[in-house]
Amino acid sequence: MSTDTVIHHSETDPGAGVNTRKVFIKTYGCQMNVYDSLRMGDALASEGYVQTEQMEDADLILLNTCHIREKAAEKVYSALGRLREMKKAREAGGQELMVGVTGCVAQAEGEEILRRAPAVDVVIGPQTYHRLPEALRRARQGNRVVDTEYAVEDKFEHLPTAEKARIRSRGVTSFLTVQEGCDKFCTFCVVPYTRGAEVSRPLPQILDEAQRLAEAGVREVTLLGQNVNAWRGEGPDGREWGLGDLLYRLAEVAGLARLRYTTSHPRDMDDRLIEAHRDLRSLMPYLHLPVQSGSDRILKAMNRRHTAQEYLRLVERIRRARPDIAMSGDFIVGFPGESDEDFQDTLRIVETVGYAQAFSFKYSIRPGTPGAELADQVPEDVKAERLERLQALLLKQQADFAKSCVGKVIDLLLEKPGRNEGQVIGRSPWLQSVNVDAKTSQIGDIIPVRIIGTGPNSLFAEPARDVVGT
Ligand code: 5AD
Ligand code: SF4
């Protein structure tokens, strides 16, 4: 579920006094890290920290890291090398600069980070963010802290939820983590090791957070989990609920007009979830359902536990339930042993499904995973060539999908002001960015627009007066 985006958070509190401590959080990797960074920001806000966009202004710098592919750790170490210089300069002037490493590199490297990076004061794994303020206090007393336990207590219960004003400042769309960790053990993946076993957040906690978000003006919520459709909880009826049941319930929350979820494993797409796609107008017609490869041999070696045919049949069932659904996926090329023929199978499955959006990666050896032990690693140049061909096909499909939207009238959620006066950037049901002149509408409104053109990464639209037909 990760893309290689780097997101800088900015939530500077203009009313903050001069003595307030400032934190700069740099987020790498997937949406869950984006969510975690916000929650860490909330935890630190209750300790008096405000967030800054300027690393140079910060008294505390946190790197919230990603370990999904190679070189991530090395990138973090070189960033930490630069921070060491900054810290030395600060200390020479009698000022404090604290540095923390959080997220999956923290989990994977632990103590090693303290050994290799003298600038670092705290190393906190993804399950112990709620202990961050305490760790900072200990570090300030001169004890560097590593906390990468899989905590027994529920971190969500201990992390303060943002108050309305803070939620509001974040906009009309929001993530909401409902599940963490993964039990699938795909042979290429570090997630079961860095994020640990699957844990579902209890239903009341999720409903409470959804309610707060809605009350603060959030219109669209994306439920997050490394394996989100494995979410399980106890319903008010005492029955075990799955993600489908949860979506039906969330669809009743007043104000929440749109629901999404990511990332899903094909094996966990059950009937109830597919029915939710059929029945719920607020469940957006967009599904990120990674297949990784189109070759049965490779799928088996990856321990994906389904065949290409099974995936295709599943996509058919989902499309029967929700014909306008747009499919998104992840692909890995050059998994150990992948032959030209296997790669052709991947191109074939892409052709058959037709993706509106997709992420594709060269296989990257992750020490400690079964894939790293396999003989028959694919040479780098072969991987690069396959990736190029796959990406060309996926990009073409993405462009074709965008073109197929031209002329349609769709519901647009107005998200933020555009570059020009009167222009607004909105989100289509299929997660595309859409520019529209919508002077009389407000951010957070959902309005009918007609798509009139496509740009490189977005669509152009005009307000439509017709009946909406997405
Ligand atoms: N090498 C390349 N890509 C990987 N992914 C996960 N692990 C690896 C790896 N070792 C990709 C998968 C997954 C996405 C989040 O990242 O496609 O779905
Ligand atoms: Fe990794 Fe596979 Fe779990 Fe996804 S389902 S997080 S790829 S182990």
Side-chain angles (χ1 to χ4, degrees):
M1 112 167 150
S2 87
T3 49
D4 281 330
T5 44
V6 174
I7 294 135
H8 301 268
H9 293 284
S10 56
E11 267 179 54
T12 325
D13 176 355
V18 280
N19 291 325
T20 319
R21 289 202 171 105
K22 292 190 181 142
V23 55
F24 173 85
I25 307 179
K26 183 162 174 168
T27 308
Y28 302 83
C30 66
Q31 293 102 319
M32 192 165 298
N33 267 9
V34 175
Y35 177 87
D36 286 347
S37 290
L38 291 173
R39 294 302 294 264
M40 283 193 279
D42 294 340
L44 292 168
S46 53
E47 297 283 306
Y49 278 93
V50 295
Q51 291 199 26
T52 172
E53 270 182 279
Q54 308 300 331
M55 192 188 260
E56 299 70 32
D57 289 349
D59 308 285
L60 168 64
I61 295 176
L62 294 178
L63 305 184
N64 193 14
T65 59
C66 170
H67 204 234
I68 197 89
R69 277 170 292 276
E70 225 175 336
K71 299 200 184 106
E74 289 314 310
K75 261 193 246 166
V76 171
Y77 283 119
S78 61
L80 290 172
R82 290 191 296 275
L83 288 182
R84 187 184 185 187
E85 296 310 310
M86 202 168 144
K87 189 166 178 162
K88 273 192 203 153
R90 214 44 103 71
E91 281 168 357
Q95 279 175 310
E96 175 188 278
L97 174 62
M98 299 196 80
V99 176
V101 180
T102 62
C104 294
V105 174
Q107 188 66 37
E109 296 276 297
E111 295 274 347
E112 181 65 14
I113 297 180
L114 294 191
R115 266 193 294 278
R116 284 186 55 184
V120 174
D121 301 288
V122 295
V123 177
I124 304 277
Q127 306 311 329
T128 43
Y129 292 146
H130 54 296
R131 300 186 192 154
L132 184 58
E134 173 57 27
L136 289 170
R137 269 193 288 277
R138 273 162 47 209
R140 205 162 276 123
Q141 289 157 6
N143 306 306
R144 301 167 85 200
V145 177
V146 177
D147 190 349
T148 52
E149 252 190 280
Y150 294 107
V152 282
E153 71 269 24
D154 177 354
K155 74 170 170 187
F156 293 106
E157 273 197 358
H158 292 78
L159 281 171
T161 329
E163 72 285 5
K164 261 189 200 157
R166 277 172 75 78
I167 300 175
R168 199 162 276 138
S169 72
R170 292 172 187 164
V172 295
T173 61
S174 177
F175 294 130
L176 197 177
T177 293
V178 301
Q179 181 278 339
E180 251 194 286
C182 183
D183 294 344
K184 288 283 186 291
F185 289 93
C186 300
T187 54
F188 51 81
C189 187
V190 286
V191 166
Y193 312 97
T194 54
R195 290 276 171 169
E198 277 174 11
V199 180
S200 294
R201 278 179 84 185
L203 178 68
Q205 247 189 42
I206 296 170
L207 293 179
D208 183 57
E209 193 168 332
Q211 192 70 46
R212 278 164 190 266
L213 293 172
E215 281 165 12
V218 168
R219 309 297 320 276
E220 176 177 306
V221 164
T222 303
L223 307 181
L224 293 182
Q226 267 90 30
N227 194 11
V228 70
N229 55 351
W231 181 85
R232 291 286 172 276
E234 191 188 326
D237 48 5
R239 211 171 42 87
E240 188 186 70
W241 276 20
L243 188 68
D245 302 295
L246 175 61
L247 287 163
Y248 278 94
R249 177 65 187 83
L250 287 172
E252 292 169 9
V253 175
L256 289 190
R258 291 179 159 197
L259 300 170
R260 305 176 185 276
Y261 60 93
T262 195
T263 287
S264 298
H265 192 287
R267 286 281 297 241
D268 293 318
M269 287 301 299
D270 60 21
D271 292 347
R272 184 77 173 146
L273 187 49
I274 297 176
E275 280 164 23
H277 279 284
R278 182 195 62 198
D279 296 342
L280 300 177
R281 208 184 129 67
S282 56
L283 181 54
M284 290 294 99
Y286 181 95
L287 178 61
H288 185 65
L289 192 65
V291 68
Q292 313 293 357
S293 167
S295 151
D296 286 344
R297 223 170 54 80
I298 298 298
L299 286 170
K300 194 164 189 333
M302 286 176 164
N303 191 32
R304 293 291 292 180
R305 296 188 254 179
H306 62 77
T307 62
Q309 261 314 316
E310 282 163 345
Y311 179 84
L312 288 172
R313 270 202 295 273
L314 176 62
V315 171
E316 255 172 50
R317 277 174 59 215
I318 297 165
R319 281 191 166 141
R320 265 203 301 277
R322 184 79 208 230
D324 64 341
I325 203 157
M327 296 300 300
S328 158
D330 290 337
F331 297 89
I332 295 178
V333 298
F335 186 80
E338 185 187 73
S339 66
D340 257 336
E341 216 164 291
D342 294 318
F343 176 63
Q344 291 299 333
D345 287 343
T346 298
L347 294 178
R348 207 164 302 134
I349 204 166
V350 171
E351 292 279 11
T352 310
V353 172
Y355 287 90
Q357 159 86 290
F359 304 97
S360 46
F361 314 98
K362 288 189 278 188
Y363 172 67
S364 158
I365 298 178
R366 310 312 293 124
T369 61
E373 310 298 320
L374 295 174
D376 236 358
Q377 297 287 337
V378 175
E380 211 34 54
D381 55 337
V382 176
K383 285 191 216 175
E385 192 256 336
R386 286 179 188 166
L387 186 67
E388 209 174 298
R389 285 174 61 194
L390 176 60
Q391 287 188 337
L393 175 59
L394 290 168
L395 273 176
K396 179 168 182 320
Q397 290 193 341
Q398 193 175 330
D400 287 348
F401 179 70
K403 275 186 227 145
S404 75
C405 296
V406 176
K408 278 189 189 159
V409 173
I410 66 163
D411 266 345
L412 190 67
L413 169 59
L414 301 182
E415 244 192 307
K416 54 189 173 206
R419 224 177 281 152
N420 306 325
E421 179 73 29
Q423 216 182 39
V424 182
I425 301 173
R427 222 182 251 209
S428 82
W430 306 288
L431 217 49
Q432 298 138 304
S433 195
V434 181
N435 295 285
V436 64
D437 276 321
K439 291 187 193 63
T440 54
S441 304
Q442 288 183 5
I443 302 300
D445 285 353
I446 295 175
I447 62 165
V449 302
R450 177 175 287 100
I451 305 296
I452 52 174
T454 64
N457 294 308
S458 58
L459 301 173
F460 298 97
E462 61 187 18
R465 257 161 276 284
D466 335 18
V467 181
V468 176
T470 51

